[in-house]
Amino acid sequence: MVSAERETAPGKRVRPGARAIVIPLLAGAAVSVLLGVYAKTHEPAGYSVGIAGFSSAQAMKTWLASVSFLLALCQFASALVMYGRLPVAAPSWIGAVHVWTGRLAVLVSVPVAVHCLYAFGFQHYDTRVLTHSLLGCFCYGAFVAKMLLLTRNGLPRWAIPIAGGLVLTGVTGLWLTSALWFFQHNGLTL
């Protein structure tokens, strides 16, 4: 074990990958907290962004969140192929699919997040809404941590899959507490 560790202070040893993980995790946690603080302290405007073609801001958010969720599921499936967890040979293009579905998922989620932050802020009037507010902050913090981890060398093999899993968990929870709820109460309204 001594060869896999280095001396940092008298009597203390740190694994080489620890710093590579800790800094992105702290940055992600800071993003989560800052989003939560901003959302809680700013006065909700009740409106924000709108995209033509939707009947309401809620419908826009619901459909964009659904597209983002589907792209996150594509990310999950492509990651399973890349990591050899599915009984298929990884095609040469799977990495590009993974990268581009991730980029599109984030791009599609930004209007939703901006609308939620600016129009509603951090709400907690019932369990579903509180859970949604917490997951929104968590999800973007986990995303920042994952993106920073991708730039690090010397990570344990499990670090990126765990970070990706946390982002997927956040996106899934957000979809369940918003879009699914909307579809159940309003149908498939555009």
Side-chain angles (χ1 to χ4, degrees), residues 13-171:
R13 296 197 182 273
V14 176
R15 293 182 190 187
R19 184 173 295 149
I21 292 174
V22 170
I23 292 170
L25 290 181
L26 289 174
V31 166
S32 292
V33 169
L34 289 171
L35 286 172
V37 167
Y38 171 77
K40 185 65 181 159
T41 58
H42 111 89
E43 188 65 33
Y47 63 90
S48 179
V49 296
I51 296 177
F54 293 100
S55 60
S56 67
Q58 291 291 76
M60 176 212 56
K61 286 175 35 184
T62 298
W63 285 101
L64 291 179
S66 295
V67 169
S68 187
F69 176 59
L70 289 174
L71 289 166
L73 291 176
C74 289
Q75 282 261 288
F76 179 60
S78 61
L80 289 175
V81 171
M82 289 188 318
Y83 278 87
R85 300 294 185 209
L86 292 179
V88 296
S92 60
W93 47 263
I94 197 70
V97 167
H98 187 76
V99 168
W100 280 100
T101 55
R103 288 175 179 168
L104 289 172
V106 172
L107 181 67
V108 169
S109 76
V110 168
V112 178
V114 168
H115 189 277
C116 287
L117 280 169
Y118 187 75
F120 302 118
F122 192 96
Q123 299 290 323
H124 52 82
Y125 56 85
D126 71 23
T127 304
R128 179 191 66 83
V129 173
L130 172 62
T131 302
H132 185 75
S133 293
L134 291 169
L135 283 169
C137 297
F138 168 79
C139 188
Y140 274 92
F143 170 74
V144 166
K146 181 186 177 207
M147 292 299 103
L148 291 174
L149 284 169
L150 288 171
T151 67
R152 304 290 185 197
N153 293 321
L155 293 175
R157 185 162 164 78
W158 52 262
I160 300 298
I162 293 291
L166 290 173
V167 174
L168 177 62
T169 299
V171 170

